[in-house]
Amino acid sequence: MAKLGLFLLIVALSNQTSLACNDNKAEQLPGTRRELNDYWVDSYGFPPPSLTPLYYHEASPPEAAISYQGRSSLNQPNHNAKPFKNYFINKNADGKASGRFALGGLRASLINTGLFNNRFTPANTFRPLQGLGNKTPVTLNPNFDNLLTTFDGCTAPNGESGICAPGNICSLFGGRPSGSCILGKVCCINVVPSCGGTASLNNTHWQSPAVLSAPSTCTLTVKLDATFVEQKKPICQLRLDFISFTTSQPTAGTCTDTFQISGSTNTAPIICGDNNGQHMYLDVPSSLNGPTNVRLMFNFAAGTGNSPRTWNIKIAMLPCGANYLAPRDCLQYFTSATGIIRSFNWRDIAGVATRQLNNQNYNICFRTEEIDGQIANRICLTPCTITNGGDAFSITSVPGNLANSAVGTTGPNPLPPPVATVAVCLYDFLLIAQGTNPINGLVADRFCGNQLNPIPAGAAVSVTVCTRIRPFKLTYQTDNTEGAVFANNQGIIIPAFGDAGNVGFCLDFQQRIN
């Protein structure tokens, strides 16, 4: 009974406050408003939003309905009196609706904000109106500037990534609920399981269709537009996570099945093969300056119809100014003190097939981490431990030393004539600026061969290589062939021997403070 009495008292005080505002005499209840502010600060750590705008507006005749600019034919009436306009829809400069959903939910908004439920102390489990918000189409909270634009990321119980959205909005986008979020929302998993589709939601999963043929093309267009309500902030980067990715293997390093990207300002290489667990960061023009389309495309070659082709690519939209954006021109970006980096299509598999991809040219970057209260001052790289007969480091070789490491751009020709100098790590290499053996102090920049070692003469064993150059960054580059490169008549092109069986690299990295 005491709890019920307290609830009725609060409702009565709320009604008095409303009447006072309608009479333009809000100052008559300073004590009540001050107590409400104090309670809010004690409970949540920040002051409540002003309630006055929620009450004080003069009515005006309705205007013509505006057309809904989304995925259905809904219409939303527009009125001059819009006390809650910031909660329902965004407007652009010419007054047209720029969002996808012109929906209202005042009742759920007031219930879910804590105006009723949280009038009781956090320790009190009595919630007489708890759950009512779930019965409304859209749940809102005036603590935010525009609740329909808060499509924040979430993780479902099974580990899938999605966005927090009202249940009916999730259905409108063709998503499926998996788990729950705050304010009565669901964790919406948005999946595009087909070719030729579009994506405008953060954390969309593009999955391979059940049936694919060759030759054929399969595309997805990612639409970036600051006027989309589901993109609450301008987007400056995309992150692609290859949860699964399998296509046919390359032929002599050249992809027959290809995955390529257009619309980004940085260049992503064409890839194929096995790329589970890999990722890419794509720089895109800020959507604040205008709409941008980024196209993801698979091309499947004729004659490879029996090759396995499956993928599940998660597409994350990263807002401009976020502190988790990758540095510019970093295709891959790692944000931990330790981990593993792999070239595309690398696998720990025995055999002599060439898995290294041609035409790779990209940067691998690392966020500088804090270790034991100090900023890391170097990063060290060691070839991965191999358990299935594969090769952890294999980037071109020099005849006569096929099993050895190699460094530098050129070296003496071991099989003269006709030329005295041949390319070493000139066309295919991993660049580690001032890569140093911490044991003997030997230094090199370009690494290739079949071992990772900065020793100039080459060695049949790999060692740990460290660099103190910050920001920490590696560059991986290959040319367009595994075949021989021939010198031209002018001597401009440095010849290189043909190669086969290269697989790329797998390296453990560790940031250190000494």
Side-chain angles (χ1 to χ4, degrees), residues 393-469:
F393 193 90
S394 174
I395 308 175
T396 213
S397 302
V398 176
N401 295 293
L402 294 180
N404 285 7
S405 62
V407 294
T409 57
T410 61
N413 185 357
L415 303 172
V419 295
T421 300
V422 294
V424 182
C425 304
L426 181 63
Y427 302 118
D428 299 349
F429 60 87
L430 180 66
L431 178 65
I432 309 174
Q434 294 187 13
T436 305
N437 182 338
I439 303 300
N440 57 26
L442 290 175
V443 179
D445 287 323
R446 293 192 182 209
F447 294 81
C448 62
N450 281 281
Q451 305 291 339
L452 180 67
N453 196 318
I455 187 170
V461 61
S462 289
V463 298
T464 295
V465 174
C466 304
T467 177
R468 295 183 181 272
I469 303 299

Side-chain angles (χ1 to χ4, degrees), residues 105-442:
L106 173 59
R107 176 163 58 94
S109 176
L110 295 178
I111 291 170
N112 285 332
T113 58
L115 185 60
F116 292 102
N117 284 330
N118 292 333
R119 293 305 90 203
F120 306 94
T121 61
N124 193 332
T125 59
F126 180 55
R127 298 289 187 271
L129 299 179
Q130 188 174 29
L132 288 183
N134 296 332
K135 297 181 176 62
T136 63
V138 181
T139 55
L140 303 176
N141 185 339
N143 292 333
F144 300 93
D145 292 335
N146 189 332
L147 247 293
L148 289 180
T149 65
T150 56
F151 291 91
D152 296 317
C154 60
T155 302
N158 62 359
E160 291 181 306
S161 297
I163 60 166
C164 291
N168 62 334
I169 302 304
C170 182
S171 299
L172 184 63
F173 275 107
R176 57 178 171 81
S178 181
S180 60
C181 298
I182 61 172
L183 305 177
K185 298 181 181 181
V186 299
C187 187
C188 182
I189 310 302
N190 190 52
V191 176
V192 180
S194 60
C195 301
T198 62
S200 62
L201 278 176
N202 185 28
N203 287 345
T204 292
H205 292 253
W206 184 29
Q207 296 179 355
S208 51
V211 178
L212 284 168
S213 60
S216 65
T217 297
C218 189
T219 65
L220 177 77
T221 301
V222 182
K223 293 183 172 294
L224 306 176
D225 193 327
T227 66
F228 289 176
V229 70
E230 63 265 39
Q231 296 174 20
K232 61 180 182 178
K233 294 181 180 179
I235 304 302
C236 280
Q237 271 186 357
L238 297 178
R239 173 174 165 135
L240 307 182
D241 281 282
F242 302 127
I243 298 171
S244 62
F245 184 118
T246 301
T247 66
S248 65
Q249 286 295 309
T251 300
T254 298
C255 290
T256 50
D257 284 354
T258 63
F259 174 75
Q260 57 195 92
I261 298 165
S262 62
S264 61
T265 57
N266 63 327
T267 301
I270 293 174
I271 64 172
C272 60
D274 298 315
N275 292 292
N276 297 355
Q278 294 277 21
H279 73 270
M280 290 182 179
Y281 281 86
L282 306 177
D283 297 327
V284 296
S286 172
S287 59
L288 186 63
N289 299 326
T292 296
N293 289 342
V294 177
R295 193 183 193 203
L296 314 181
M297 181 169 61
F298 284 94
N299 281 307
F300 303 121
T304 57
N306 295 326
S307 299
R309 297 183 178 94
T310 60
W311 65 86
N312 181 3
I313 303 174
K314 188 186 79 171
I315 304 158
M317 300 177 181
L318 310 184
C320 304
N323 59 7
Y324 45 83
L325 294 178
R328 184 168 295 277
D329 293 327
C330 292
L331 186 74
Q332 294 192 309
Y333 184 47
F334 294 86
T335 58
S336 60
T338 60
I340 297 175
I341 56 173
R342 296 177 283 115
S343 56
F344 292 108
N345 197 40
W346 183 92
R347 278 293 179 272
D348 181 6
I349 297 176
V352 296
T354 299
R355 299 183 68 90
Q356 176 175 278
L357 302 181
N358 295 338
N359 296 307
Q360 305 292 288
N361 185 5
Y362 61 90
N363 295 322
I364 305 166
C365 304
F366 306 82
R367 185 180 67 187
T368 304
E369 301 297 324
E370 182 180 284
I371 302 172
D372 297 331
Q374 301 181 56
I375 301 300
N377 57 20
R378 65 173 174 165
I379 188 169
C380 295
L381 305 139
T382 307
C384 300
T385 300
I386 298 302
T387 59
N388 295 321
D391 196 338
F393 193 90
S394 174
I395 308 175
T396 213
S397 302
V398 176
N401 295 293
L402 294 180
N404 285 7
S405 62
V407 294
T409 57
T410 61
N413 185 357
L415 303 172
V419 295
T421 300
V422 294
V424 182
C425 304
L426 181 63
Y427 302 118
D428 299 349
F429 60 87
L430 180 66
L431 178 65
I432 309 174
Q434 294 187 13
T436 305
N437 182 338
I439 303 300
N440 57 26
L442 290 175

